[in-house]
């Protein structure tokens, strides 16, 4: 009996010793619930009071008012549980569960130590964003004041675009594009500073390296853009000058040999467009070299190396079309047979196409083999048609040719028929 009494006294003593800790834990739980509930209620009511749901809709975060209200309630719940998390380590420590509370305490200590860095990064981003937006608006207003988009408007009027195309093009005016470019250029170092402020090496270092590379390449990009603009202007000026010279030289009179179905096709225009394209290719390749990207440099070198073959192929194809049409017109005028002229034209076309493909080095062995098969097939088809189905036609044509040759021989002075010669020889003998 004494042993049981001692046990009860020990339990009571332990309970009395634990009672202050238990009361402290209960007090902390009540305090955490009160503070969390007040913060949740105050934040949600405050956000509703300032119509934060409407702002979420304007920012594009929420689609409807109900979505905005649900997001506000979610913000209140997040703050509610965060306050509970702050009190949990103290509650666990009061009831003697310090081993469980230590990891949570360490986590909150790290989070609290990270809060100033996070606040500084958010502050840098906010200030940088407003500065970049201010500079963007300033640049756009200045460019619109000097009417830098007049060149684009002239192009739209010249090309005769529809109203829908004009509206679409106004969304990408030169002023807006340049203003957005300035906005991005300003944001890149701001984002870099914000990431470095967070001091999260595993996240910040790769992103910062990429942003530094982008920032370092911006001057090269600007030089490349200037090269492209200068190339376009030079190609336009030289093209207009060359087209004027070719037009005044009278080369367009040979345009009829290019295509009779399209009389608007001018030889001077075609030559001018080819020259402009070649000039732009040179400027594009040089712009790629300025970017100092190995892949683009390799592509540029390959383009320049292949360009002579392309130019020769264009010359061959142009001469083939020009010669085919000219020869077709000559045959039609000489023989009066339109079919013969068309056959000659397409034969020259085929030869020009095969020569062009061979010059471009498009599967040379296949192209050469196909050409031999085509020529061989045409020869066999002609031989079979002429030998089997056209014997009577061939006999008549050969007879006509023989009679014509005899008539021409009679009309030549100093010639005589075979019978008269034989008579003279017989009388002489």
């Amino acid at each position: 009996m004494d042993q049981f009494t001692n046990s009860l006294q020990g339990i009571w003593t332990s309970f009395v010793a634990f009672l202050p800790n238990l009361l402290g834990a209960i007090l902390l739980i009540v305090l955490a619930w009160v503070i969390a509930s007040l913060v949740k209620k105050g934040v949600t009511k405050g956000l509703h009071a300032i119509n934060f749901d409407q702002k979420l809709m304007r920012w594009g975060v929420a689609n409807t008012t109900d979505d905005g209200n649900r997001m506000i309630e979610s913000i209140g719940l997040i703050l509610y549980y965060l306050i509970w998390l702050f009190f949990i380590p103290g509650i666990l420590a009061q009831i003697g569960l310090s081993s469980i509370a230590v990891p949570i305490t360490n986590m909150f200590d790290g989070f609290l130590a990270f809060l100033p860095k996070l606040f500084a990064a958010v502050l840098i981003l906010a200030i940088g964003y407003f500065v970049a937006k201010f500079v963007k608006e300033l640049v756009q207003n200045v460019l619109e004041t000097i009417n830098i988009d007049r060149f684009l408007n002239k192009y739209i009027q010249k090309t005769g675009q529809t109203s829908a195309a004009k509206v679409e093009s106004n969304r990408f005016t030169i002023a807006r594009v340049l203003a957005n470019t300035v906005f991005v250029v300003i944001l890149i170092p701001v984002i870099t500073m914000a990431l470095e402020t967070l001091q999260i090496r595993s996240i910040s270092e790769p992103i910062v390296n990429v942003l530094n590379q982008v920032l370092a390449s911006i001057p090269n990009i600007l030089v490349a853009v200037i090269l492209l603009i200068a190339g376009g202007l030079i190609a336009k000026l030289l093209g207009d000058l060359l087209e004027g010279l070719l037009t005044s030289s009278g080369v367009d009179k040979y345009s009829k040999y290019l295509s009779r179905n399209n009389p608007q096709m001018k030889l001077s225009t075609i030559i001018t467009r080819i020259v402009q394209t070649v000039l732009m290719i040179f400027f594009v390749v040089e712009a790629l070299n300025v970017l100092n990207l190995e892949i683009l440099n390799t592509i540029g070198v390959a383009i320049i190396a292949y360009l002579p073959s392309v130019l020769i192929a264009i010359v061959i194809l142009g001469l083939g079309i020009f010669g085919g049409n000219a020869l077709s017109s000559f045959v039609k005028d000489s023989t009066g047979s339109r079919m013969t002229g068309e056959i000659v034209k397409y034969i020259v076309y085929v030869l020009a196409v095969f020569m062009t493909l061979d010059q471009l080095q498009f599967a040379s062995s296949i192209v050469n083999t196909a050409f031999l098969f085509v020529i061989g097939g045409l020869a066999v088809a002609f031989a079979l048609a002429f030998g089997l189905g056209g014997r009577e036609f061939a006999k008549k044509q050969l007879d006509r040719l023989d009679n014509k040759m005899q008539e021409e021989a009679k009309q030549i002075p100093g010639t005589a028929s075979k019978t008269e010669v034989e008579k003279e020889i017989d009388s002489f003998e």
Side-chain angles (χ1 to χ4, degrees):
M1 187 69 180
D2 293 335
Q3 186 177 2
F4 179 73
T5 303
N6 292 331
S7 299
L8 288 176
Q9 288 178 350
I11 293 172
W12 174 254
T13 303
S14 300
F15 176 75
V16 171
F18 180 71
L19 187 60
N21 294 333
L22 180 62
L23 292 176
I26 294 173
L27 182 61
L28 286 175
I29 291 173
V30 173
L31 184 63
W33 177 77
V34 171
I35 294 175
S37 300
L38 289 175
V39 169
K40 174 187 173 183
K41 190 173 183 180
V43 169
T44 53
K45 284 190 174 182
L47 292 177
H48 283 298
I50 63 174
N51 295 323
F52 191 68
D53 52 347
Q54 301 294 330
K55 294 182 180 180
L56 291 175
M57 292 177 62
R58 285 199 302 270
W59 294 341
V61 179
N63 296 325
T64 60
T65 306
D66 293 335
D67 291 339
N69 293 330
R70 281 195 293 269
M71 288 184 181
I72 291 174
E73 295 295 330
S74 299
I75 293 172
L77 283 175
I78 291 172
L79 294 176
Y80 177 84
Y81 290 119
L82 281 176
I83 292 173
W84 270 104
L85 286 175
F86 277 112
F87 280 90
I88 284 176
I91 295 170
L92 293 176
Q94 286 292 326
I95 60 178
L97 298 177
S98 300
S99 59
I100 300 176
V102 168
I104 301 175
T105 303
N106 293 334
M107 180 186 70
F108 274 102
D109 290 340
F111 178 73
L112 291 175
F114 182 71
L115 276 180
K117 300 176 184 178
L118 181 62
F119 178 76
V122 172
L123 184 63
I124 291 172
L125 284 175
I127 295 174
Y129 173 79
F130 284 111
V131 171
K133 188 174 181 181
F134 174 77
V135 176
K136 171 190 171 183
E137 297 293 336
L138 177 63
V139 171
Q140 184 172 346
N141 291 330
V142 170
L143 294 177
E144 288 178 351
T145 301
I146 64 177
N147 195 16
I148 195 173
D149 293 318
R150 61 181 180 273
F151 303 106
L152 182 62
N153 295 330
K154 288 181 180 179
Y155 173 76
I156 294 173
Q157 294 174 359
K158 184 177 179 181
T159 54
Q161 295 184 11
T162 60
S163 58
K166 290 180 181 179
V167 172
E168 185 68 21
S169 62
N170 287 333
R171 295 173 55 191
F172 302 99
T173 59
I174 298 176
R176 290 190 178 185
V177 171
L178 292 177
N180 289 327
T181 303
V182 172
F183 179 78
V184 173
V185 170
I186 295 175
L187 274 186
I188 288 176
V190 171
I191 295 173
T192 303
M193 293 173 58
L195 290 174
E196 289 179 347
T197 303
L198 293 176
Q199 295 181 357
I200 304 177
R201 301 297 180 187
S202 59
I203 298 175
S204 63
E205 286 185 358
I207 299 176
V208 168
N209 290 334
V210 171
L211 292 177
N212 288 333
Q213 291 178 2
V214 172
L215 195 62
S217 63
I218 286 176
N220 295 332
I221 294 174
L222 294 176
V223 174
V225 171
I226 293 172
L227 278 175
L228 292 176
I229 295 174
L233 294 175
I234 293 173
K236 181 70 168 58
L237 293 174
L238 292 180
D240 293 340
L241 179 61
L242 180 61
E243 187 172 5
L245 292 175
L246 291 175
T247 303
S248 60
S249 66
V251 73
D252 287 335
K253 64 183 179 181
Y254 300 105
S255 300
K256 62 181 180 180
Y257 296 113
L258 293 175
S259 177
R260 290 188 174 183
N261 297 327
N262 188 7
Q264 296 181 351
M265 185 181 295
K266 295 182 180 180
L267 190 59
S268 60
T269 303
I270 295 174
I271 296 174
T272 301
R273 295 295 178 268
I274 293 173
V275 172
Q276 288 178 335
T277 303
V278 172
L279 286 175
M280 281 304 302
I281 288 174
F282 279 111
F283 278 97
V284 169
V285 171
E286 186 61 30
L288 294 178
N289 290 331
V290 169
L291 295 177
N292 290 327
L293 298 177
E294 185 177 354
I295 297 177
L296 297 180
N297 291 340
T298 304
I299 294 173
V301 172
I303 291 173
I304 294 297
Y306 192 63
L307 191 59
S309 299
V310 175
L311 292 177
I312 296 174
I314 291 173
V315 172
I316 292 173
L317 186 62
L319 291 176
I321 295 173
F322 183 83
N325 291 330
L327 189 59
S328 173
S329 299
F330 175 75
V331 171
K332 289 177 183 178
D333 296 337
S334 300
T335 63
S337 175
R338 183 176 181 181
M339 184 182 70
T340 306
E342 293 295 323
I343 292 173
V344 171
K345 180 175 71 174
Y346 287 109
I347 288 174
V348 176
Y349 280 2
V350 171
L351 289 173
V353 169
F354 276 104
M355 292 175 67
T356 302
L357 293 176
D358 183 67
Q359 179 63 37
L360 293 175
Q361 299 177 1
F362 284 164
S364 300
S365 59
I366 297 176
V367 171
N368 294 332
T369 304
F371 178 72
L372 292 176
F373 274 118
V374 170
I375 296 299
L378 290 175
V380 172
F382 180 77
L384 291 175
F386 192 79
L388 296 178
R391 287 183 295 178
E392 295 296 329
F393 175 76
K395 182 176 180 300
K396 292 179 180 179
Q397 296 300 322
L398 291 174
D399 289 339
R400 289 177 59 186
L401 180 60
D402 183 56
N403 293 331
K404 186 175 182 181
M405 290 174 62
Q406 289 183 2
E407 291 176 357
E408 290 178 352
K410 289 179 182 180
Q411 294 175 359
I412 298 175
T415 61
S417 63
K418 184 179 179 181
T419 306
E420 293 175 350
V421 173
E422 290 176 354
K423 288 180 181 180
E424 291 180 0
I425 293 173
D426 292 339
S427 63
F428 178 74
E429 291 178 350

